[in-house]
Every structure is written in C-alpha cells, then in structure tokens.
Amino acid sequence: MILVGVILLVIGFVTGISILWTIGLALLLIGAVLWVLGAVGHAVGGRRHYW
C-alpha cells in the first residue's frame, strides 16, 4: 500500500493531476499507520478462529 501511494504521488506530481496526488497521499498515510501497528504487535484486520 505504501508503494502504491508513492507511485501515485509521483505520477500525480509529474502529470499535475491533483486527484492522484490526494489518493497517493491517503494511501501512503494509511499504509504507514498499518505498518506501524503491525510492527508493534497489534493484530490489524486479524481473524478470530473459533475452533
């Protein structure tokens, strides 16, 4: 997700399309938050097993 965000940021910056810049920034931030939460040991989007 972080890589896609960076790619969209670069494409949006080069072409001047602001929606790509905005989506890229949002993906970059969400990816960074999920990465940090996963690194500190929180289960992000984990599944419960009832067996």
Side-chain angles (χ1 to χ4, degrees):
M1 187 176 284
I2 295 174
L3 184 62
V4 173
V6 170
I7 291 171
L8 286 177
L9 276 173
V10 170
I11 292 173
F13 180 74
V14 171
T15 60
I17 302 173
S18 63
I19 190 71
L20 290 180
W21 179 265
T22 305
I23 293 171
L25 186 63
L27 285 178
L28 186 67
L29 290 176
I30 292 170
V33 167
L34 290 176
W35 181 34
V36 168
L37 285 176
V40 297
H42 290 280
V44 178
R47 297 184 180 145
R48 291 186 172 172
H49 300 284
Y50 293 107
W51 32 286

